Amino acid sequence: MGRLHPEHFRIRDLDEAEARVVEALLECTDDNWIIMPTVRDGTEKPPVKIDIVVAHPGHGVAIIEVKGYVPEIRSGQWIGGPRGAQSPVAQLNNNRGRLRRRLEQEVPSAGRFQVSAAIAFPNAAGIKGNVDPLDLSQDQLIWSTDLNSIDSSLVRLIGRGATPTLLFDKGIFSEVIGCLRPDAEFLDDQEARYRWALARLEDRSL
């Protein structure tokens, strides 16, 4: 079973389509896969949200953008989703490029990074026709029928392309996860309560 990170992430806060994909990832992958929903990247402007990032020490890193609608392609253009929304392929490529640059900058010990990318359509069973002219391969599309074997889809996805996937040792893999899910430590102000009580006392004495 895949590992949710952070482990206390509330899947029920996701929309229905994203929740189904996350639950399929958790159920159908082994415990070497780290599943990270809602990864926000504020290092570039404007800030972006990546629906899901998955990482595996032996396979690499991939982003998955989830679309709850059933898409159409007309005259080579994607149709569907909110009016005025960016093409899902453009969004996917932009987010992949941003994440790759961030990882290369913040985890230089990993070398040149490859980030794979897929679009999940959990409410669509597939597509007829050739998607290659849309700068997308069939391996980059995850359909409702793939959710029960999504681990195989991930391995095919990350294994495609000319550049070999990086293999991470334990230390580098920990750095990658820390970059994607940074921790923050809140500084303890032990005198805050005392200062507040003193200010209240001074106000009452005026």
Side-chain angles (χ1 to χ4, degrees), residues 192-206:
R193 187 181 298 274
Y194 169 76
R195 290 197 305 270
W196 176 82
L198 183 61
R200 291 289 302 274
L201 181 62
E202 289 175 349
D203 288 341
R204 290 175 180 177
S205 63
L206 293 177

Side-chain angles (χ1 to χ4, degrees), residues 16-39:
E16 185 266 345
E18 291 178 8
R20 284 174 57 198
V21 176
V22 169
E23 288 169 351
L25 286 164
L26 291 172
E27 183 176 345
C28 298
T29 59
D30 64 44
D31 61 5
N32 287 313
W33 286 99
I34 306 295
I35 315 300
M36 293 168 278
T38 313
V39 174

Side-chain angles (χ1 to χ4, degrees), residues 128-143:
K128 293 181 179 179
N130 182 11
V131 299
D132 291 344
L134 300 175
D135 297 322
L136 203 67
S137 76
Q138 290 285 359
D139 287 339
Q140 291 179 274
L141 296 170
I142 298 173
W143 306 104

